[in-house]
Amino acid sequence: MNIQLSDHFDYKKLLQFTLPSIVMMIFTSIYGVVDGFFVSNFVGKTPFAAVNFIMPFLMILGAAGFMFGTGGSALIAITIGTGERRKANRLFSLFVYVSAAIGVLIAILGLIFIRPIAALLGAEGILLENCVSYGRIILLAIPAFMLQYEFQSFFVTAEKPQLGLMVTIAAGVTNMVLDALFVAVFRWGLNGAAAATALSQVVG
């Protein structure tokens, strides 16, 4: 059933339109859960603690893309509503370029300051080293993660929430499969879990 933003929404139609976005957010949250499952079962308690310790900070960085997506999609939807589709396309390009550039900047700053930030949060010793090694690999994919968050909103504005859902599911399944392969089969440890998450974010 094709639903347009200009339609009159009742409760049923609203649920049909928003359900893909809800499922998208659930699958996005799976990243840390899946990593935690494989790390706790195949690597050890301290690396598992490191994943849970540093993941909220990494998710906050990625949420900058969600900020661009929600704000940008609102402006784009308003512009489309006034009939200025070419201007809407330019706004879309602007938000994508700016958020990608900011993502690269955040990744660079994160790589530089990940150790003092983890220490400031209270990590020390082996836990600190695990936080740094895991965080640095994830930070390499932060620009992609930000764009994935951003496009979750843009797909809704483009009246294609189902497409966004399929992309997010593909990323989530990629994370699960690569975690099993890198951590359980290849025994790459914490770095394998981080690589699986980073690659799945690139897929998304």
Side-chain angles (χ1 to χ4, degrees):
M1 181 180 180
N2 187 31
I3 302 175
Q4 297 182 332
L5 292 176
S6 57
D7 290 347
H8 173 72
F9 281 81
D10 54 21
Y11 288 110
K12 181 180 178 181
K13 187 173 288 189
L14 180 63
L15 180 61
Q16 288 176 331
F17 192 74
T18 57
L19 185 61
S21 298
I22 295 170
V23 178
M24 277 194 292
M25 295 305 296
I26 293 172
F27 264 86
T28 302
S29 302
I30 284 176
Y31 288 135
V33 175
V34 173
D35 278 8
F37 172 81
F38 282 98
V39 170
S40 64
N41 284 280
F42 295 96
V43 185
K45 294 180 180 178
T46 302
F48 173 61
V51 171
N52 288 286
F53 202 87
I54 202 66
M55 181 59 78
F57 169 69
L58 299 172
M59 293 295 285
I60 289 171
L61 297 182
F66 193 71
M67 177 185 70
F68 278 102
T70 51
S73 61
L75 287 174
I76 292 168
I78 292 171
T79 307
I80 291 174
T82 60
E84 300 180 86
R85 186 164 290 273
R86 289 185 63 185
K87 182 180 178 181
N89 288 338
R90 290 197 300 270
L91 283 172
F92 169 77
S93 298
L94 173 66
F95 281 113
V96 172
Y97 294 150
V98 170
S99 59
I102 290 176
V104 172
L105 179 61
I106 288 175
I108 293 171
L109 292 175
L111 289 168
I112 294 171
F113 294 108
I114 184 67
R115 182 178 294 276
I117 288 172
L120 184 64
L121 292 172
E124 56 185 24
I126 298 175
L127 178 62
L128 176 60
E129 297 304 319
N130 286 335
C131 286
V132 171
S133 60
Y134 182 86
R136 281 178 174 165
I137 295 173
I138 300 295
L139 282 165
L140 294 175
I142 279 292
F145 189 43
M146 287 178 57
L147 288 174
Q148 181 185 347
Y149 258 145
E150 184 172 8
F151 273 90
Q152 286 178 1
S153 297
F154 284 152
F155 275 130
V156 174
T157 305
E159 299 171 341
K160 298 182 185 294
Q162 294 83 2
L163 180 58
L165 174 60
M166 288 187 289
V167 170
T168 306
I169 290 175
V173 171
T174 300
N175 188 36
M176 296 177 200
V177 172
L178 292 182
D179 261 326
L181 186 65
F182 292 170
V183 180
V185 179
F186 294 162
R187 301 288 180 171
W188 289 352
L190 187 62
N191 289 341
T197 297
L199 290 172
S200 67
Q201 290 170 354
V202 173
V203 168

